[in-house]
Amino acid sequence: MSRGRSSYVGAVPILVAVDCIILGFDHEGLKLLLFRRKIKPYQGEWSTIGSFVRPEESVESAAARVLESHTGLENIFMEPLGHYGAVDRDPGARVISLPYFALIRLGKEEINTTLTHQANWFDINAIPPLILDHNQMVAAALKELRRKARYRPIGFELLPEKFTIPQLQQLYETIYNKALDNRNFRKKILSMKILERLPEKDKSTSRKGAFLYSFIPKRYEQMVEKGVDFVL
Amino acid sequence: MSRGRSSYVGAVPILVAVDCIILGFDHEGLKLLLFRRKIKPYQGEWSTIGSFVRPEESVESAAARVLESHTGLENIFMEPLGHYGAVDRDPGARVISLPYFALIRLGKEEINTTLTHQANWFDINAIPPLILDHNQMVAAALKELRRKARYRPIGFELLPEKFTIPQLQQLYETIYNKALDNRNFRKKILSMKILERLPEKDKSTSRKGAFLYSFIPKRYEQMVEKGVDFVL
DNA sequence: CCAAAAGTGTTATCGCTACACCCATGA
DNA sequence: TCATGGGTGTAGCGATAACACTTTTGG
């Protein structure tokens, strides 16, 4: 009982890390942000980005700190993704990892800020071998993304504020890896009444131009609450 | 670098606990298994059952150990349920908790074995105040159970091997807290083709008797994989 | 005027919902 | 014989899936 405030005599503390699986979407498809590891073991290899949880911060703020310090982004959609707790998963020490999965809106700016720290966006279908069990974590994140996309509208997190319906369709097609009928897609997404059509058009991808839409936050939230079976 | 095999200098280890949220189902409804806490602080108060993760065991096996040592049950359906990592959640020490949610089949035997350790089954609608953030964990477990029940067949975990359709319907009614039409329920569940009708009847609840069914494991697994929107 | 992407309707089918009565049996 | 829970069918409606052509406009 001589170890400060702890009354849990005999319990052995363990290193706890958070790892961020950062996904983004742009015209080329779904991307994963990876980093060259800065410490040993496995220094220099590709890895998701993580950090040990510090005594004075919550697990959640550790994850936010990691994301912010490597991308400059704050208030990002993040969600815990289980835990990895095998005894020998990390040869450097016994470490329990709590991965978070983050969805970010890809614009040109974000990509630049990250290129500074030995970072790179990888196409989701061409992920290199990663250290430890990180490939597993990425696979879990992808599975979770697909699950999520099915049961709730997604897009607020992965699309810019204004987007076109073809863009949204492309996002779903990328996630499901499957072509969708554009008439039915439009019908279904519009019938949810979570989109507001703006007066502007995006002419960057066609001569005709596609109308821009934005999510109606209130209705979007209602849909998330209620749950939707968005099989396409 | 004098602390053994760790190459993670400066990282501060933290106590990690697992907590088991144990749910069961019987003729009276959905139940939660709670225990009187054996250690300080909060000794004697109602709590889910937990333990610190030991250096030589994985997180998962810690959860299995806790469940086994308090109920005698092995090979139970258990699933991690996020994590609780606020700095001051436990006044005894900085502890990160990794709750697991377990579903067990309630028979008379199980109840007896647990009554020895200051344990009690509580109706899910009458949970007493629990220590720390355990009420939150229980609420999360319930929410997860409802979510699960909607998106995949459930029942393998909560029902005995042989069960009747009225029993299964009652399980869903309890989970959703909502009455269901028995014709439609039957139609839907049978159309999934995951049930096999046995030649026997259970006569314990009616003079006529209800046919016993069992799940067809293979088809059940397929359904779980594929996902179902089981809104009733 | 043409290439390229955006946008638009209809029909057939399927699954869901709502709803009420007969059946089997033990006491 | 009667009380109790178990078991069954159908019709209407709404959602989904399949399917091809017109519109716009910059070059």
Side-chain angles (χ1 to χ4, degrees):
Chain A
M1 277 294 218
S2 57
R3 291 208 283 123
R5 63 173 187 162
S6 172
S7 37
Y8 301 133
V9 183
V12 180
I14 297 174
L15 287 173
V16 178
V18 290
D19 281 293
C20 295
I21 289 101
I22 304 172
L23 295 171
F25 177 74
D26 69 7
H27 60 283
E28 291 173 12
L30 209 51
K31 303 285 186 59
L32 173 69
L33 187 56
L34 293 173
F35 296 80
R36 293 239 180 238
R37 172 141 152 145
K38 279 175 275 186
I39 57 172
K40 290 187 181 180
Y42 306 119
Q43 190 164 23
E45 298 190 32
W46 289 112
S47 158
T48 64
I49 188 72
S51 167
F52 290 106
V53 176
R54 299 176 182 164
E56 75 285 2
E57 69 185 353
S58 70
V59 174
E60 211 180 346
S61 31
R65 168 174 59 77
V66 169
L67 186 69
E68 200 277 330
S69 66
H70 288 80
T71 65
L73 298 171
E74 295 181 75
N75 298 319
I76 293 299
F77 177 84
M78 293 186 84
E79 192 159 283
L81 204 69
H83 54 248
Y84 289 73
V87 175
D88 291 317
R89 54 178 290 279
D90 186 331
R94 171 80 200 265
V95 180
I96 292 173
S97 172
L98 305 176
Y100 273 75
F101 130 107
L103 299 180
I104 77 178
R105 307 173 181 193
L106 272 193
K108 281 131 208 159
E109 330 80 50
E110 286 86 5
I111 300 190
N112 294 339
T113 59
T114 56
L115 286 178
T116 52
H117 327 56
Q118 294 265 317
N120 201 23
W121 285 99
F122 287 84
D123 185 283
I124 206 62
N125 297 308
I127 305 296
L130 306 177
I131 63 161
L132 309 181
D133 41 19
H134 287 199
N135 281 296
Q136 259 177 274
M137 291 182 188
V138 169
L142 242 113
K143 196 171 165 193
E144 177 65 11
L145 177 62
R146 297 208 162 100
R147 209 188 55 73
K148 274 202 141 30
R150 170 159 177 187
Y151 296 129
R152 49 176 280 184
I154 207 153
F156 239 144
E157 291 87 9
L158 282 164
L159 289 175
E161 229 172 300
K162 302 171 181 183
F163 54 88
T164 66
I165 290 192
Q167 261 171 58
L168 184 58
Q169 180 174 345
Q170 202 193 330
L171 170 59
Y172 275 96
E173 288 182 334
T174 306
I175 291 175
Y176 290 140
N177 197 26
K178 175 179 159 186
L180 302 174
D181 180 280
N182 64 339
R183 282 165 292 189
N184 292 339
F185 181 83
R186 229 165 241 279
K187 219 182 309 171
K188 184 149 182 180
I189 201 84
L190 289 174
S191 75
M192 290 185 187
K193 312 227 189 252
I194 56 178
L195 296 186
E196 181 180 18
R197 187 166 116 174
L198 306 175
E200 328 154 50
K201 280 190 164 192
D202 167 22
K203 297 216 169 187
S204 65
T205 55
S206 77
R207 309 198 195 285
K208 184 177 178 182
F211 278 105
L212 286 163
Y213 286 77
S214 64
F215 287 105
I216 306 169
K218 204 171 144 187
R219 302 201 53 96
Y220 187 92
E221 290 311 322
Q222 285 170 357
M223 275 291 157
V224 169
E225 260 319 297
K226 184 171 78 166
V228 196
D229 193 31
F230 202 75
V231 186
L232 291 163
Chain B
M1 276 293 221
S2 56
R3 293 207 285 121
R5 64 175 184 159
S6 171
S7 39
Y8 300 134
V9 184
V12 180
I14 297 174
L15 288 173
V16 178
V18 290
D19 281 292
C20 295
I21 291 101
I22 304 171
L23 295 172
F25 176 74
D26 68 8
H27 60 283
E28 291 173 13
L30 208 52
K31 303 285 186 58
L32 173 69
L33 186 56
L34 294 173
F35 296 79
R36 293 235 181 241
R37 171 141 154 144
K38 279 175 275 186
I39 57 172
K40 293 185 179 179
Y42 305 119
Q43 191 165 21
E45 299 191 32
W46 289 113
S47 159
T48 64
I49 189 70
S51 167
F52 291 106
V53 175
R54 298 175 184 164
E56 75 285 0
E57 68 184 355
S58 70
V59 174
E60 211 180 347
S61 32
R65 168 174 59 78
V66 168
L67 186 69
E68 201 276 329
S69 66
H70 287 81
T71 65
L73 299 171
E74 295 181 75
N75 299 318
I76 292 300
F77 176 84
M78 292 186 85
E79 191 159 284
L81 205 69
H83 54 247
Y84 289 74
V87 176
D88 290 317
R89 55 178 290 279
D90 186 331
R94 171 80 200 268
V95 180
I96 292 172
S97 172
L98 304 176
Y100 273 75
F101 130 107
L103 299 180
I104 76 178
R105 308 171 180 194
L106 272 192
K108 281 130 205 161
E109 331 79 53
E110 288 86 4
I111 300 192
N112 294 338
T113 60
T114 55
L115 285 177
T116 53
H117 324 57
Q118 294 266 318
N120 201 23
W121 285 100
F122 287 85
D123 186 283
I124 204 64
N125 298 307
I127 306 295
L130 305 177
I131 62 162
L132 308 181
D133 41 20
H134 287 199
N135 282 296
Q136 258 177 275
M137 291 181 188
V138 169
L142 245 115
K143 195 171 166 194
E144 177 64 10
L145 177 63
R146 297 208 161 100
R147 206 187 56 72
K148 274 201 141 29
R150 170 159 177 187
Y151 296 129
R152 49 176 278 184
I154 206 152
F156 241 145
E157 291 87 9
L158 282 163
L159 289 176
E161 228 173 298
K162 302 171 181 184
F163 53 89
T164 65
I165 292 193
Q167 264 172 55
L168 185 57
Q169 180 174 343
Q170 202 193 331
L171 170 59
Y172 275 96
E173 288 182 334
T174 305
I175 291 175
Y176 289 140
N177 198 25
K178 174 178 160 188
L180 303 174
D181 180 280
N182 65 337
R183 281 166 294 190
N184 292 338
F185 181 80
R186 230 166 241 279
K187 220 182 312 170
K188 184 149 183 180
I189 201 84
L190 289 175
S191 75
M192 289 184 188
K193 313 230 191 248
I194 55 178
L195 296 185
E196 180 180 20
R197 186 166 115 176
L198 306 175
E200 329 154 50
K201 280 191 163 189
D202 169 20
K203 296 214 168 187
S204 65
T205 55
S206 76
R207 309 192 198 286
K208 183 178 178 181
F211 278 106
L212 285 164
Y213 287 77
S214 65
F215 288 104
I216 305 168
K218 202 171 145 189
R219 301 202 53 96
Y220 186 93
E221 290 312 322
Q222 284 170 358
M223 275 290 157
V224 169
E225 260 321 296
K226 185 171 78 167
V228 196
D229 194 32
F230 203 77
V231 186
L232 291 163

